[in-house]
Amino acid sequence: MSAGGIVPQRTFQEAARATLANAQMRRNLQHATTTIREKRLRAVAELPDWEDLRIQGAAIKDHVMANLGDYLLDLEAAVKARGGHVHWARDALEAREIVAGIASSHGAREVIKVKSITTDEIELNGGLAERGIHAIETDLAELIVQLSEDLPSHILVPAIHRNRAEIRDLFRRKLGAELLTDEPKQLAEAARLYLREKFLTTKVAVSGANFAVAETGTICVVESEGNGRMCVTLPEVLVSVMGIEKVLPTWQDMAVYLQLLPRSSTAERMNPYTSFWSGVTPGDGPQEFHLILLDNGRTDVLADEVGRQTLRCIRCSACLNVCPVYERAGGHAYGSVYPGPIGAILTPQLLHLENKNANTLPWASSLCGACYDACPVKINIPEVLLYLRGKITEDRPLSAEDTLFKTAAWVMSEPHRFEGAIKLARTGQGPLVKQGAIHALPGMLGGWTDTRDLPAFPPQTFREWWRGRPAPAMRGTEGNAQASEGQPLAPQREERSI
Amino acid sequence: MTIDLFITCLNDALFPRTGEATVKLLERLGHEVRFNERQTCCGQMHFNSGYQDDALRLVRHFVETFRDAEAVVAPSGSCVGMVRDLYPRAAEWAGDEELLAEVNALTPRVFELSEFLVRYLGVEDVGAYYPHRVTYHQTCHAMRVLRVGDAPLRLLKNVRGLRLVELPAVEQCCGFGGTFSVKNPETSTAMLADKVQNVLSTKAEACTAGDNSCLMHIGGGLSRLQAGTRTVHLAEILASTEGEVFA
Ligand code: SF4
């Protein structure tokens, strides 16, 4: 099964504990993300107007979000006018039923699929399997994940956690391929032979959509291998499942994202294959086209003023590739088809902040801010993380940790209480201190001292030192560096964006 | 000029030498330094951990304490990042317009030490002497929230006797992240392990940064390994002279 859905089965901490133990996966991940990080920086630096593009990319999406209903109705009308069918799906179950219904009406036992994270979100493959329909992934990495009965661990490179040797073994076992080496060329050839036959014999195909243009009803899929293009052109029936946030008003807008997306995701100037289709064209391509517009929690995200920016996401995966937490813990630790920084904010919101495991995701970040700098549509991921932490904490029953923090805030809001607390800690730390440091802490803080020492409280605080120093008149000026008075009071602050 | 110090709760309690160094350094540059004893904590730990109401108490307390300051300077990039970047958010999310106005009036006067010296005062040579091999860790908040850029490096390059060695993967987070290191200790440790290795690869005697929270984390890892490389706050290097060694 390669469709994982968005409901985490464990907390992030528990899942990460398991993935961190996989040394091979960590090495594969570190290698892959380091390479793509450097490439992306080079690709982005080539464009002198990158910052302007990012601002446009954010603004267009914000405009769409503010008028989403209108643009979706425009899209629906345009698709229908060109001979397509449009379906609205409230949730994953509805969407799966619609796809299964269409496939069944054509008597299909097999469908071929373009790599689509949205269909993974709704666990389409599993849903079809229950109806006796087998979904075949045609994207190479997605196929690898499917054949190995694994879950994708990256939104762009689902098998990023696998290396070549592992893939050769898999193809030998599952496709019966005779592979002498693990050369990428040979691996690709083995997959090609298997897939070609499927392309030519399967009647129904399922795709996702990167964008949809409301004015013409045109759907767009962007990919690297050309297998996607085979899927959207060869079969008789094409079903596209699209999150409602993917709609764009005009072709002009598309131009912005077709610059932002490839450089951010694969660090290429342009991706090798960009397919567009509008409804059906008699005698050319699929003769029946269905567009499924999927909500699945998105209107809830839309309703939240701070959280809404999450829907700008174009799934480029740049935030994953720069994230130090993702790099160590891997995609599976996030328990959802949306891993990494975007997953940490999208998954819990799609689940209405009601899923306990998903609600641990906003804490799966050190708030280093690398994701915000990388995001081509300027989603302030750290801000959303903090905002969600606040909402989740507010809504849950009071815990021991809450009491601790509330007491701390009470202590810290008055200097004499704060000072008293330090004195208390200084006396209390005695038995824990060895050679000036603390090597083991009890309880909740034990996780820290498993691998790190902590400094002990020194005998004097800063404020005690300050009180003990001689009065200003006694001090005089020390040293000989020249004092230099500053420029105007406001410092030169750069816009916070790169 | 008259500078109000914001020493931060962590420095006050655990790293008083950093505070002392900041005082000595600014006085050596001819400024009048004040320490308002009403100050406590910026509220970052609360805000970042999801306790936004409680953080708001501390935001208000900070604003009351420093309202009339000409300039507030802190030896901590992350606390200044909290004030400049997140105080407005805290006020907005609480729907407190009055507080937002006060915060917006105050934040342009709040500085991290290195940016204050280089960008505001225009000083790059503070007359320091520190005869050691040193590597510099760019902390995330100084780099990405405050955009201090090369300000700390300019200061370090002018320290006599100091040999600056570049830290590999300098832009990567050390894995501290406040309560992140407590809530997700395994992931945090994996990040720390890479940072510690990079620090050790420089063969530096000391790793410095503008933030004792990150240094506490990196130092905690180095100490556990008994690696012999120390962590030293930037202020302590800048305050050191031949006559008085701070770190
Ligand atoms: S959040 Fe931004 S960087 Fe991450 S996948 Fe979405 S668009 Fe790309």
Side-chain angles (χ1 to χ4, degrees):
Chain A
M1 184 187 101
S2 85
I6 52 171
V7 186
Q9 299 304 309
R10 292 184 283 185
T11 65
F12 178 82
Q13 197 197 48
E14 286 162 355
R17 195 169 292 143
T19 51
L20 281 163
N22 186 339
Q24 180 65 53
M25 187 189 80
R26 271 173 70 184
R27 260 197 305 279
N28 295 348
L29 261 177
Q30 189 153 36
H31 175 73
T33 53
T34 309
T35 315
I36 187 108
R37 270 205 298 271
E38 286 161 11
K39 272 179 71 184
R40 188 194 70 92
L41 283 177
R42 280 201 299 274
V44 162
E46 281 180 0
L47 287 187
D49 58 346
W50 184 251
E51 281 312 308
D52 292 341
L53 277 172
R54 282 180 83 202
I55 292 167
Q56 280 186 56
I60 294 167
K61 284 276 183 179
D62 283 350
H63 169 77
V64 170
M65 292 315 138
N67 302 280
L68 188 59
D70 293 343
Y71 286 122
L72 287 172
L73 291 175
D74 289 354
L75 176 68
E76 179 184 35
V79 171
K80 282 182 173 166
R82 292 182 180 233
H85 306 271
V86 177
H87 312 255
W88 299 75
R90 229 174 327 216
D91 55 22
L93 183 70
E94 274 190 19
R96 287 198 302 260
E97 293 286 311
I98 297 167
V99 182
I102 296 167
S104 301
S105 74
H106 291 273
R109 308 305 306 269
E110 271 189 346
V111 300
I112 47 174
K113 279 185 68 202
V114 190
K115 173 172 128 50
S116 151
I117 191 163
T118 311
T119 61
D120 288 347
E121 173 189 325
I122 60 169
E123 297 179 83
L124 181 64
N125 294 9
L128 291 177
E130 279 170 22
R131 305 271 209 110
I133 303 165
H134 179 55
I136 299 157
E137 296 291 348
T138 64
D139 174 84
L140 187 52
E142 200 62 64
L143 176 70
I144 292 164
V145 170
Q146 187 180 38
L147 291 176
S148 52
E149 291 167 40
D150 192 1
L151 294 169
S153 68
H154 187 283
I155 59 179
L156 193 82
V157 202
I160 195 170
H161 57 300
R162 299 272 173 191
N163 64 27
R164 288 179 354 208
E166 291 172 311
I167 295 164
R168 178 182 61 167
D169 292 345
L170 180 74
F171 282 3
R172 276 180 175 160
R173 268 187 291 120
K174 293 287 174 111
L175 302 182
E178 276 180 38
L179 287 162
L180 298 175
T181 72
D182 58 10
E183 282 298 303
K185 216 176 136 195
Q186 281 206 24
L187 297 176
E189 185 59 27
R192 189 174 294 132
L193 285 172
Y194 166 75
L195 289 174
R196 279 284 149 94
E197 195 222 314
K198 297 293 176 192
F199 289 136
L200 294 169
T201 55
T202 313
K203 253 169 59 176
V204 179
V206 180
S207 87
N210 286 93
F211 308 101
V213 184
E215 61 177 358
T216 54
T218 306
I219 312 299
C220 170
V221 159
V222 169
E223 40 125 16
S224 303
E225 294 168 6
N227 290 336
R229 172 160 300 176
M230 300 272 212
C231 279
V232 301
T233 50
L234 290 174
E236 291 165 22
V237 181
L238 174 60
V239 186
S240 301
V241 186
M242 168 188 134
I244 51 174
E245 79 282 16
K246 300 282 178 69
V247 63
L248 297 177
T250 67
W251 280 88
Q252 209 89 53
D253 304 315
M254 177 83 77
V256 173
Y257 297 103
L258 286 185
Q259 293 177 76
L260 287 172
L261 181 59
R263 285 180 203 260
S264 302
S265 55
T266 46
E268 291 166 304
R269 297 185 179 116
M270 185 40 104
N271 49 284
Y273 295 87
T274 306
S275 302
F276 295 109
W277 64 97
S278 314
V280 290
T281 309
D284 184 15
Q287 294 301 293
E288 191 176 317
F289 171 62
H290 297 265
L291 177 64
I292 301 175
L293 295 169
L294 175 75
D295 183 338
N296 208 28
R298 286 163 174 79
T299 45
D300 268 12
V301 186
L302 186 68
D304 189 291
E305 252 179 79
V306 182
R308 184 179 305 157
Q309 54 184 310
T310 312
L311 296 180
R312 288 185 204 149
C313 177
I314 56 172
R315 313 279 188 260
C316 72
S317 73
C319 60
L320 277 64
N321 298 330
V322 297
C323 176
V325 172
Y326 175 86
E327 183 182 325
R328 306 322 188 294
H332 296 159
Y334 296 79
S336 155
V337 297
Y338 299 113
I342 181 62
I345 60 173
L346 182 59
T347 302
Q349 290 190 89
L350 288 180
L351 298 170
H352 321 285
L353 298 186
E354 282 166 2
N355 182 285
K356 273 203 169 148
N357 293 330
N359 281 356
T360 63
L361 292 172
W363 278 268
S365 164
S366 63
L367 302 173
C368 79
C371 50
Y372 181 27
D373 277 3
C375 179
V377 287
K378 290 177 85 96
I379 301 175
N380 190 336
I381 296 176
E383 175 189 69
V384 181
L385 287 168
L386 290 177
Y387 175 76
L388 296 178
R389 289 180 188 186
K391 290 202 83 143
I392 293 164
T393 308
E394 197 177 287
D395 293 345
R396 72 184 176 203
L398 222 62
S399 67
E401 182 196 327
D402 298 343
T403 318
L404 199 75
F405 271 90
K406 289 192 185 304
T407 314
W410 180 79
V411 168
M412 298 272 209
S413 57
E414 260 308 318
H416 68 267
R417 289 185 209 137
F418 175 52
E419 206 174 346
I422 298 174
K423 283 189 181 140
L424 209 68
R426 205 154 59 193
T427 332
Q429 70 178 354
L432 298 172
V433 180
K434 283 190 191 91
Q435 289 149 354
I438 295 173
H439 305 271
L441 277 173
M444 220 165 73
L445 300 169
W448 172 286
T449 46
D450 279 349
T451 53
R452 295 157 279 215
D453 293 338
L454 262 184
F457 287 95
Q460 199 182 31
T461 60
F462 173 80
R463 64 184 77 213
E464 285 164 343
W465 171 82
W466 175 266
R467 281 181 208 132
R469 65 196 302 250
M474 316 275 294
R475 283 202 301 268
T477 19
E478 298 163 49
N480 47 16
Q482 273 294 307
S484 95
E485 281 303 320
Q487 295 98 35
L489 203 54
Q492 287 170 352
R493 280 177 61 185
E494 299 160 46
E495 234 309 273
R496 198 196 149 183
S497 57
I498 275 186
Chain B
M1 67 189 293
T2 307
I3 298 165
D4 262 282
L5 293 175
F6 174 45
I7 288 302
T8 83
C9 61
L10 187 79
N11 286 322
D12 187 10
L14 283 175
F15 302 99
R17 288 291 279 174
T18 299
E20 292 171 41
T22 309
V23 173
K24 289 278 166 80
L25 173 64
L26 292 172
E27 286 185 345
R28 194 168 78 214
L29 295 173
H31 300 284
E32 190 200 333
V33 175
R34 299 195 304 196
F35 177 74
N36 183 338
E37 291 204 29
R38 295 277 308 147
Q39 66 182 266
T40 54
C41 162
C42 68
Q44 181 180 194
M45 187 176 74
H46 283 84
F47 197 75
N48 286 2
S49 304
Y51 300 95
Q52 285 157 11
D53 290 350
D54 301 291
L56 214 56
R57 267 173 105 136
L58 298 167
V59 172
R60 293 211 172 87
H61 183 79
F62 184 95
V63 171
E64 278 161 28
T65 307
F66 291 110
R67 188 177 275 145
D68 301 320
E70 190 183 348
V72 181
V73 174
S76 163
S78 80
C79 300
V80 173
M82 169 69 194
V83 173
R84 280 228 296 258
D85 192 42
L86 295 174
Y87 274 23
R89 292 293 93 67
E92 261 168 38
W93 295 348
D96 192 334
E97 292 289 330
E98 221 173 288
L99 182 63
L100 181 63
E102 279 228 60
V103 161
N104 286 336
L106 175 59
T107 48
R109 287 176 278 140
V110 182
F111 304 92
E112 184 271 338
L113 180 63
S114 72
E115 65 168 3
F116 181 72
L117 294 172
V118 175
R119 297 263 175 85
Y120 182 71
L121 292 181
V123 179
E124 293 187 10
D125 185 349
V126 295
Y129 173 73
Y130 193 75
H132 299 286
R133 188 181 168 94
V134 173
T135 192
Y136 171 71
H137 166 61
Q138 177 86 274
T139 66
C140 299
H141 285 179
M143 168 171 47
R144 299 201 186 88
V145 176
L146 299 179
R147 306 272 177 218
V148 303
D150 62 354
L153 293 172
R154 284 169 184 251
L155 291 161
L156 284 168
K157 278 184 187 140
N158 285 305
V159 174
R160 276 167 274 295
L162 187 141
R163 261 193 73 196
L164 192 61
V165 271
E166 200 182 322
L167 183 65
V170 68
E171 81 294 343
Q172 275 233 348
C173 177
C174 70
F176 174 58
T179 39
F180 171 74
S181 59
V182 178
K183 288 212 175 224
N184 287 292
E186 293 90 353
T187 309
S188 164
T189 294
M191 290 158 73
L192 176 64
D194 290 341
K195 183 61 74 182
V196 163
Q197 272 203 345
N198 285 328
V199 170
L200 293 178
S201 78
T202 65
K203 302 209 161 43
E205 294 160 73
C207 171
T208 192
D211 222 308
N212 270 329
S213 47
C214 311
L215 288 178
M216 179 172 78
H217 192 234
I218 299 170
L222 289 167
S223 156
R224 182 56 56 96
L225 290 178
Q226 306 201 305
T229 299
R230 296 174 300 134
T231 48
V232 176
H233 193 285
L234 180 67
E236 295 173 37
I237 292 181
L238 298 180
S240 292
T241 57
E242 282 188 70
E244 187 173 17
V245 179
F246 261 86

